[in-house]
Amino acid sequence: MLDNKKLTPLSAIGEFGLIKRIQEKVTIQQISTHKAIGDDAAVLEFIGKQILLTTDMLTENVHFNLMYTPLKHLGYKSVIVNLSDICAMNGTPSQITVSLAVSNRFSVEAIDELYEGILLACENYGVDLVGGDTTSSQSGLIISITAIGHANADDVVYRNSAQKGDLVCVTGDLGAAYMGLQLLEREKEIYKANPGIQPDLQGNDYILKRQLKPEARLDIVELMHSLKLKPTAMIDISDGLSSEIMHIGLDSGLGAKIYEAKIPIAEETLKMAVELNIDPTISAMSGGEDYELLFTIRPEDYEKIKNLPDFTVIGTMTDVSDGFKLLTRDGSTVQITSQGYNAFLEQS
Ligand code: ADP
Ligand code: MG
């Protein structure tokens, strides 16, 4: 990728040069964007909408590893994780800001690659890059993205409004991103021990894509809108099914019952689970980074979704006294505990 080209140090163009370079690549797509990059603040105008705002910070070697993450993918994913949060409110994302802390170890071309990914995500989701901040860092790369979205007040879906008896639904399939990460980690260790060996990633495109280039389920938000289906509660799966169902349950004052056999898991995920000797249910429950939507619907809305391949009913919301239960394939019941990614537990 960058290896064979002559690289330009960031100091050659400076902060303002870099901002200008970014500004020149931006095309505006939203009518709500009145003024984007170039003044002291962006100016947005939304008429009759509630504004959704979310932000996420990603730190090198904590949230991403540049040994196996191409910068373009990193840029794309950094945007997606934020757009996914807007989707989880049943909203439409419209603008982002991007703030970078970057060390002089990065070249102009490296930042160009990062922005290629950022702007590709913007293009794919119809979102405008309207500002940010650029600063230096002593060592690694830090990316902080804020996404802005909107929804009609009546359409916004919160985590705390599920009702007892509601069906628990999930989109797509789970556990693949975690399995992709395990594969990349395995190949990284092999490479570190013997740099002559080429990584063996063949035939695992799906799980790698789920880890390196995830998507936000804006298509589902739009589909539900056209079906006139409003979930009673919703969250995106960034930390794993266990932790997300517990967020909905605890915030709504309920318990939940999930059927292991119903959890959608892709063929490719199952195959890698066997190869790496990891229980695929654990990767779905605790792996995270799938960026699918987990939501609850009233039982009478089941008719609207029952034939849609992207939706799977995996359980029901129960009384708070029932707690959080996983009914396993062999007929036993296990307590669900929140073992998803925890920002402080995982750091040493
Ligand atoms: P200020 O001194 O007011 O903070 P800056 O010089 O940091 O202004 O930024 C100038 C303009 O460029 C602003 O519109 C800001 O939002 C935008 N900007 C700065 N850094 C970035 C970046 N990394 N990506 C996108 N826009 C940026
Ligand atoms: Mg600034």
Side-chain angles (χ1 to χ4, degrees):
M1 282 177 302
L2 292 177
D3 307 342
N4 303 322
K5 287 192 233 150
K6 195 171 171 310
L7 300 181
T8 318
L10 282 169
S11 57
I13 62 169
E15 183 190 331
F16 296 138
L18 180 63
I19 295 172
K20 189 153 178 290
R21 200 177 172 89
I22 294 165
Q23 187 178 12
E24 282 167 1
K25 293 179 191 170
V26 170
T27 332
I28 298 304
Q29 307 174 75
Q30 290 280 340
I31 45 165
S32 53
T33 304
H34 192 70
K35 173 81 193 182
I37 297 176
D39 212 310
D40 295 310
V43 182
L44 311 180
E45 185 170 17
F46 295 92
I47 298 156
K49 301 281 183 184
Q50 285 195 340
I51 308 305
L52 310 168
L53 191 87
T54 181
T55 191
D56 263 298
M57 191 185 296
L58 301 175
T59 313
E60 185 176 352
N61 296 329
V62 177
H63 302 101
F64 58 88
N65 189 321
L66 291 176
M67 239 180 113
Y68 53 68
T69 312
L71 281 160
K72 185 173 175 183
H73 287 161
L74 177 63
Y76 194 88
K77 182 170 176 175
S78 308
V79 177
I80 293 303
V81 302
N82 282 281
L83 302 188
S84 179
D85 282 322
I86 300 286
C87 293
M89 300 301 289
N90 205 27
T92 305
S94 45
Q95 287 87 11
I96 59 164
T97 62
V98 175
S99 297
L100 298 179
V102 52
S103 74
N104 56 14
R105 153 166 94 77
F106 291 86
S107 62
V108 171
E109 289 77 7
I111 303 302
D112 280 349
E113 274 203 15
L114 181 75
Y115 270 86
E116 252 181 64
I118 289 172
L119 292 173
L120 180 63
C122 285
E123 190 186 326
N124 289 353
Y125 289 84
V127 164
D128 295 338
L129 172 61
V130 295
D133 199 22
T134 312
T135 180
S136 57
S137 137
Q138 291 282 2
S139 55
L141 174 65
I142 300 172
I143 307 170
S144 173
I145 298 193
T146 297
I148 298 148
H150 56 89
N152 291 326
D154 292 346
D155 291 336
V156 179
V157 175
Y158 298 89
R159 294 176 180 182
N160 66 0
S161 37
Q163 299 287 318
K164 187 176 162 184
D166 283 352
L167 303 177
V168 178
C169 306
V170 71
T171 60
D173 60 81
L174 302 182
Y178 179 77
M179 222 49 94
L181 179 64
Q182 299 311 306
L183 173 63
L184 288 165
E185 285 285 341
R186 181 187 77 180
E187 295 304 314
K188 183 187 80 181
E189 292 308 319
I190 295 173
Y191 179 82
K192 280 204 314 209
N194 189 343
I197 295 183
Q198 283 298 311
D200 177 17
L201 301 171
Q202 285 242 323
N204 290 302
D205 295 0
Y206 182 69
I207 60 170
L208 291 171
K209 183 155 184 273
R210 295 285 283 174
Q211 169 57 224
L212 294 174
K213 190 173 175 283
E215 301 292 346
R217 297 311 305 260
L218 183 59
D219 59 330
I220 298 288
V221 172
E222 288 165 354
L223 178 61
M224 291 200 292
H225 208 77
S226 67
L227 293 168
K228 298 203 181 345
L229 173 69
K230 185 186 171 191
T232 51
M234 185 151 65
I235 191 167
D236 71 324
I237 304 188
S238 49
D239 297 338
L241 181 57
S242 301
S243 125
E244 314 304 358
I245 190 61
M246 288 183 69
H247 276 304
I248 290 184
L250 293 171
D251 289 3
S252 303
L254 298 172
K257 183 167 68 180
I258 304 290
Y259 297 90
E260 182 187 19
K262 302 248 157 111
I263 300 172
I265 297 179
E267 262 324 300
E268 295 87 340
T269 307
L270 293 172
K271 187 180 133 256
M272 190 47 57
V274 172
E275 194 175 323
L276 298 177
N277 197 21
I278 298 171
D279 181 346
T281 301
I282 291 181
S283 80
M285 296 297 288
S286 308
E289 297 199 291
D290 290 311
Y291 301 106
E292 295 293 342
L293 295 171
L294 177 72
F295 57 96
T296 54
I297 59 169
R298 291 171 303 163
E300 55 267 36
D301 281 335
Y302 176 66
E303 284 299 310
K304 294 182 184 169
I305 66 151
K306 68 176 187 200
N307 294 321
L308 299 173
D310 258 333
F311 294 71
T312 311
V313 176
I314 57 169
T316 51
M317 298 307 293
T318 58
D319 201 81
V320 64
S321 60
D322 295 327
F324 297 90
K325 299 276 161 54
L326 181 72
L327 275 69
T328 64
R329 273 203 188 76
D330 60 20
S332 55
T333 302
V334 295
Q335 185 84 25
I336 296 174
T337 53
S338 173
Q339 283 174 332
Y341 180 84
N342 180 306
F344 295 106
L345 287 178
E346 295 256 328
Q347 282 179 41
S348 51

